[in-house]
Amino acid sequence: MSLDPQQRAEFVNAYTRVLISSWSDEAFAARLQSDPKAALAEAGLEVPEGSEVVIVTQAPEGHQEGNLDVQVGLWEIGVATGRYEFHIPETPTVDAAELSEGDLSDVAAGCNYCCCPCCCCT
C-alpha cells in the first residue's frame, strides 16, 4: 500500500520527531530500544497491536543511512506485513572546528552588497 501525499507527510513528520528525540533525549532513546511501540506512539507513529517492531541502528548493506525514501518504503511494507523496521542512525556529529584567522578576517571584511533595505554597506 502506497501512502498518499498527506499520509507520507504525516509519517515523515512523526519519523523526524523520533529521530530528533532519540538523538537529544537519552531516556527516549532507551525507551525506543526497550519498548519501541510506546516510544513510537509518543512521537505520533501508532503501530497496530500484534505488529513486530525492529529498531535498526546501522543501515543494512545497500541502504543509504538517512535515506527518507527507504524509511517510507519500510513503513509501507510494515503496513502490508505487520513487521515495521525503523532505521535510527547514531546521533550525527557536527564538526565543531574553530574558524581559522583567515576565515574570521573573511567574515569580518564586510559586506560587498546590500543585504536589506536598511543596510548601510553600499
Side-chain angles (χ1 to χ4, degrees):
M1 171 192 146
S2 290
L3 300 177
D4 66 37
Q6 181 177 348
Q7 291 170 323
R8 180 184 168 92
E10 290 171 359
F11 171 77
V12 168
N13 288 337
Y15 176 64
T16 301
R17 281 190 298 276
V18 170
L19 291 177
I20 292 169
S21 295
S22 69
W23 294 337
S24 62
D25 181 350
E26 290 182 22
F28 181 86
R31 281 193 307 281
L32 190 58
Q33 294 297 323
S34 65
D35 189 2
K37 288 182 185 178
L40 293 169
E42 285 178 41
L45 285 173
E46 296 290 334
V47 178
E49 192 66 36
S51 298
E52 176 186 10
V53 175
V54 177
I55 303 297
V56 178
T57 56
Q58 290 212 307
E61 186 75 29
H63 284 201
Q64 182 181 351
E65 189 171 283
N67 186 321
L68 191 54
D69 290 331
V70 168
Q71 189 58 63
V72 169
L74 291 170
W75 176 259
E76 291 172 338
I77 290 169
V79 169
T81 65
R83 183 183 185 277
Y84 293 84
E85 183 176 313
F86 290 90
H87 293 183
I88 311 294
E90 295 294 319
T91 304
T93 56
V94 176
D95 185 10
E98 294 185 31
L99 295 174
S100 70
E101 285 187 37
D103 294 334
L104 290 173
S105 69
D106 289 345
V107 171
C111 181
N112 293 327
Y113 60 93
C114 184
C115 38
C116 69
C118 62
C119 184
C120 60
C121 61
T122 57

